[in-house]
Amino acid sequence: MQFDPTPDQRQALQSIVSWWQHPEHPYLTLGGYAGTGKTSLMSVLRQIFFKLNPKLTIAFCAYTGKATRVLETTLKAHQARRPKDSVSTIHSLIYAPVVNKQGNIISWNRKSALKADLIIVDEASMIDRDIWEDLMSFGLPILAVGDHGQLPPIKPGFSLMAKPDIKLETIHRQAAGNPIIKLSLIARETGQIPIGIHGSGIKKLNRYDSETGSEIEQIMQSNRKDLLILTGYNLSRVKLNQQMRLYYGFESEEPQSGDRVICLRNDWEKGIYNGMTGIIKRIKATEDDFEAEKTYEADIDMDDGSAAYSGNLLAKQFNNPTSFAAETKRKDNIDLFDFGYALTVHKAQGSQAPKVLLFEERNKHMTDEMWRRWLYTGITRAEEELVIIGT
């Protein structure tokens, strides 16, 4: 595959190689907006490293399974992956499963060592402090690559992409004509997307227009499997989840087999993270008594291709705009899930979908910069079609 680097891509490659040859710091951060060719750059970088040191082994990883598959596909297209390299999620790279006598995974432990000379992390904008410290614990040099235009990680207080060492900000000509990329530029620069049609399947509707309500309903009913609904408020998320479940034929407010759900709290021992989505395969309510919270025993097929989840879910978390992460301890062996047809943009950072329905909802405490990041993150979740509802 032909790669025609932009000037800032050439400079980035030179800076990364220079860091690798004369490392003054244990890690380097590379930030790049959507359309700047971050993933392709990693493939070219791998080819350069092979010429410099054919024996070098690289562990490529990403936060989500989908990002891992995109990375692996790009490496193969450029014929860049070497036989001893690995491509995996961060979780499967640094944690090892603990299996019981029946062959079921019951927990995960951090590995003692990795067979690699360098770690390259994609989607690093999503990494929180705990995961980063676990990555750093192996004592290997790390190149962290992410989108510095996105929202910071869900868990506050830490962001690798707040001030990346290297920045890619020139949109590659192959992406310049993409209307979603064009809208992402407007979002980053102004925070205001104009009402109207912006491309095939790309438009913004006025929420106060008399026909907008019926068009929203039509989108939600007809595009269910490919659709990702994004909001700003948890209350809106709950209402939209309730509506989508009616379209799917779920009459009970309790979660059922076949329901789409989202994880609301990391539990690395079980291999689940905040924002991870999946489909319930089996669910059963436990005995409800006065001494314990009502829970569900559930098996969930996770979307990113990781091992299926089995465990106990807190019942009152479903259809609740409030998270119970603070009051429900991990030692209780209870995990937090809710319906996942509609997500807040914060929770959707690792997700993408062919079609996105984005409701512009700005928290009154948001700064202008944070709003631009919110809007940019929401827009760039769309792969093919995007409908924005706003004013």
Side-chain angles (χ1 to χ4, degrees), residues 27 30 35 63 136 149 157 161 166 174 240 254 284 318 365 374:
Y27 67 91
L30 168 66
Y63 198 88
M136 291 286 291
M161 291 295 117
I166 307 167
Q174 293 173 329
L240 286 164
E254 296 196 359
K284 177 184 177 182
F318 285 88
H365 301 295
W374 184 96

Side-chain angles (χ1 to χ4, degrees), residues 24-196:
E24 296 182 1
H25 303 284
Y27 67 91
L28 191 71
T29 54
L30 168 66
Y33 294 133
T36 57
K38 298 185 296 297
T39 308
S40 295
L41 189 77
M42 283 185 272
S43 297
V44 175
L45 180 65
R46 183 62 188 100
Q47 294 170 331
I48 294 173
F49 278 147
F50 178 72
K51 292 178 181 178
L52 294 173
N53 182 0
K55 295 183 178 181
L56 181 73
T57 299
I58 299 179
F60 292 92
C61 60
Y63 198 88
T64 66
K66 187 167 187 177
T68 300
R69 291 190 290 274
V70 171
L71 179 56
E72 184 165 25
T73 299
T74 305
L75 289 168
K76 287 181 178 178
H78 286 273
Q79 298 181 334
R81 181 177 175 179
R82 312 313 302 174
K84 292 186 178 180
D85 290 346
S86 63
V87 185
S88 66
T89 62
I90 296 173
H91 180 265
S92 60
L93 174 67
I94 65 177
Y95 302 108
V98 178
V99 181
N100 63 16
K101 293 181 180 180
Q102 289 74 38
N104 299 319
I105 298 174
I106 56 175
S107 66
W108 297 76
N109 290 334
R110 193 176 66 196
K111 296 177 182 177
S112 58
L114 298 179
K115 294 180 180 179
D117 303 304
L118 170 67
I119 299 174
I120 296 182
V121 186
D122 196 11
E123 270 195 351
S125 56
M126 297 179 62
I127 297 175
D128 62 27
R129 188 185 303 276
D130 293 338
I131 302 171
W132 181 245
E133 288 178 352
D134 279 353
L135 278 166
M136 291 286 291
S137 70
F138 295 98
L140 297 173
I142 302 175
L143 172 63
V145 182
D147 189 333
H148 58 298
Q150 285 193 33
L151 290 164
I154 296 172
K155 192 174 181 178
F158 178 83
S159 176
L160 280 170
M161 291 295 117
K163 293 182 179 179
D165 300 311
I166 307 167
K167 295 180 181 179
L168 296 178
E169 300 188 338
T170 302
I171 303 301
H172 205 274
R173 70 171 187 271
Q174 293 173 329
N178 186 320
I180 294 174
I181 297 296
K182 288 181 179 180
L183 284 189
S184 75
L185 285 170
I186 296 173
R188 282 197 290 107
E189 292 171 358
T190 70
Q192 295 287 335
I193 303 299
I195 301 285

Side-chain angles (χ1 to χ4, degrees), residues 369-388:
E369 179 190 355
M370 192 57 69
W371 169 249
R372 289 192 295 268
R373 287 180 178 272
W374 184 96
L375 189 58
Y376 170 84
T377 303
I379 288 170
T380 52
R381 300 311 89 201
E383 298 172 327
E384 300 169 8
E385 298 181 21
L386 170 68
V387 178
I388 303 173

